[in-house]
Amino acid sequence: MHIDARKIPDNSLIEGDVCIVGAGAAGVSIALDWIESGYKVILLEGGGFEYDQKLQDLYRGKSTGQKYYPLHGTRLHYFGGTTGHWAGMCSPFDEIDFMERDWVPESGWPYSRQELDPYYAKAQEALKLGPYEYDLEYWQNKEEDLTPFPLNENIVYPKMWQFSKARFGTVYKEDIINAKPIHLYTHANVVDIVADENIALIKELKIKNHEGKAHTVRANQFILACGAIQNARMLLASNSQVDSGLGNTHDLVGRYFMEHLEIATGQLWLFNSFSDKLYTRWGEPRAELAITKEAQMEHKILNGTLSLTPLAIAKHIIPRMELLQVDDYKKAGELFFGNMDESEEKAKSDNTLHINKAYEFQIRIEQAPNPLSRVTIGNDRDALGVPRIIFNWDLTELDKDSIRKVNWIVGQEMGKANFGRVKLEKYLQDPDDYTWPSGTNAGWHHMGTTRMHNDPKKGVVDEHCQVHGLDNLYVAGSGCYPTSGTSNPTLTLVALSLKLSEHLKSKLKDKEVLIASS
């Protein structure tokens, strides 16, 4: 069922059993999981079904620290969220990503990769992916000529990817609208979260839109699913009862923001031509060069992978951090993919002799958890009265050391195999240089602002993604990640959301049994 919050009477009261804030990948995945539950689910979306610059402007903020994209363009503010312009790359997090690592500060999830496996399998379905298979051998049995480089697989191995074409705004629009238990309210922007007198339960949400309508939403359980930055913003901005904001007793909300550093790191020159089908095509399956858990532990580095782009193409690609400094983010996808297509066309006309022997390495690597990399709020307010974001992206020496070492390890293995040579970019050649080049890209992957830890002094949410101290408030999405891994976040984001969904169903059923027996 769909209701436009601009068209119902002002000051309406909206009630349900569960309220989900945000209709992106996390929120829609959870809502779909509740269709057969027997509960009334309120799904709030701040935008409509189409891009609207006026709504995007609600996400504007101020950036400090390491250069970043304009904040209002990094998340799409309409039904389906940022899946409306994502590239679709999917791979599960690795076993080491869940481990506590003594060289990675604040690392370690409350559970292992194995506990998330059943939800990864369900997430594959939600994202319209193939089977939950990420071993090279599986794909080699399906397709010919997927040959990996002849490197020591105990040190460097091919990490596999699948590609989702699911744009949640189109794929699931009718499913959500036609589901009677799901009540989708568009143009319903949350502007305040109100707790009870003891700040132990959430009592209601206040929502507004540009047409001047204001409404109240009440439910038994609430889930924030509007992205890592906006989830943190809403908790911090809901400060009428607690000065520091809700869930922020230990000053952790908004801290530990993490991205994936995606940056050109060097060149690979092969001694002989070699089929690059496994590594360079845009589509599934595709592999990137990854460092094994054992090698990461030996060298004490972050988890990162190296992708390959033919050098003849790569030299024409504009770094995204420069290309996407635009105001109208409806054009972001057009600019990005347009530059890729243009680069391929220019490469064809170059008549480059080494197009199948020379490649550019681009790393995708996790960012070390860092409390100084954070989201706060300032005095400026958006059109609906919510304080705007102040965003500080802060990188550490471990980030750069790890980038240098990942490339060094791969270079060493290429040399040992007598297969090729690696030339580092200048900014990586001096081991004492911790500056960052202007083309330091990020993946548009927001993580870590409401990090998960069972100790409330170390995390905003517990292992079930429940906000510490608030019995009926949960956070869905990659903001809960303690560490960011090397994989794009969406597959894990949906898996974690489905895990949260199952826990909440069990919680509600237990309460019903308790009430019935009392």
Side-chain angles (χ1 to χ4, degrees), residues 115-137:
E115 189 166 336
L116 209 55
D117 271 332
Y119 306 101
Y120 270 132
K122 291 179 65 176
Q124 292 276 132
E125 298 178 14
L127 290 164
K128 307 295 183 183
L129 293 164
Y132 184 40
E133 294 283 353
Y134 288 87
D135 291 329
L136 174 59
E137 184 177 356

Side-chain angles (χ1 to χ4, degrees), residues 131-232:
Y132 184 40
E133 294 283 353
Y134 288 87
D135 291 329
L136 174 59
E137 184 177 356
Y138 171 85
W139 293 100
Q140 287 175 323
N141 289 331
K142 291 177 67 69
E143 192 166 340
E144 295 180 353
D145 202 22
L146 297 180
T147 308
F149 292 156
L151 306 177
N152 185 343
E153 63 182 13
N154 294 316
I155 298 175
V156 179
Y157 72 97
K159 181 175 173 65
M160 303 301 295
W161 300 82
Q162 295 184 41
F163 284 73
S164 171
K165 296 182 180 179
R167 304 291 183 264
F168 277 44
T170 54
V171 171
Y172 291 119
K173 178 181 177 180
E174 296 304 317
D175 291 335
I176 293 292
I177 290 175
N178 293 329
K180 291 184 179 180
I182 310 299
H183 296 247
L184 168 65
Y185 286 80
T186 54
H187 298 279
N189 293 275
V190 174
V191 296
D192 195 17
I193 305 171
V194 182
D196 65 359
E197 292 181 359
N198 297 320
I199 321 296
L201 290 169
I202 300 306
K203 186 171 65 175
E204 61 191 26
L205 307 179
K206 300 297 184 181
I207 63 174
K208 290 183 179 180
N209 51 51
H210 282 89
E211 283 64 32
K213 297 287 185 69
H215 310 296
T216 299
V217 181
R218 292 177 182 163
N220 295 319
Q221 306 292 327
F222 296 88
I223 303 172
L224 295 180
C226 44
I229 288 181
Q230 296 304 318
N231 286 341

Side-chain angles (χ1 to χ4, degrees), residues 236-252:
L236 293 170
S238 299
N239 55 12
S240 60
Q241 296 169 287
V242 181
D243 289 344
S244 60
L246 294 175
N248 199 29
T249 303
H250 300 286
D251 189 28
L252 292 174

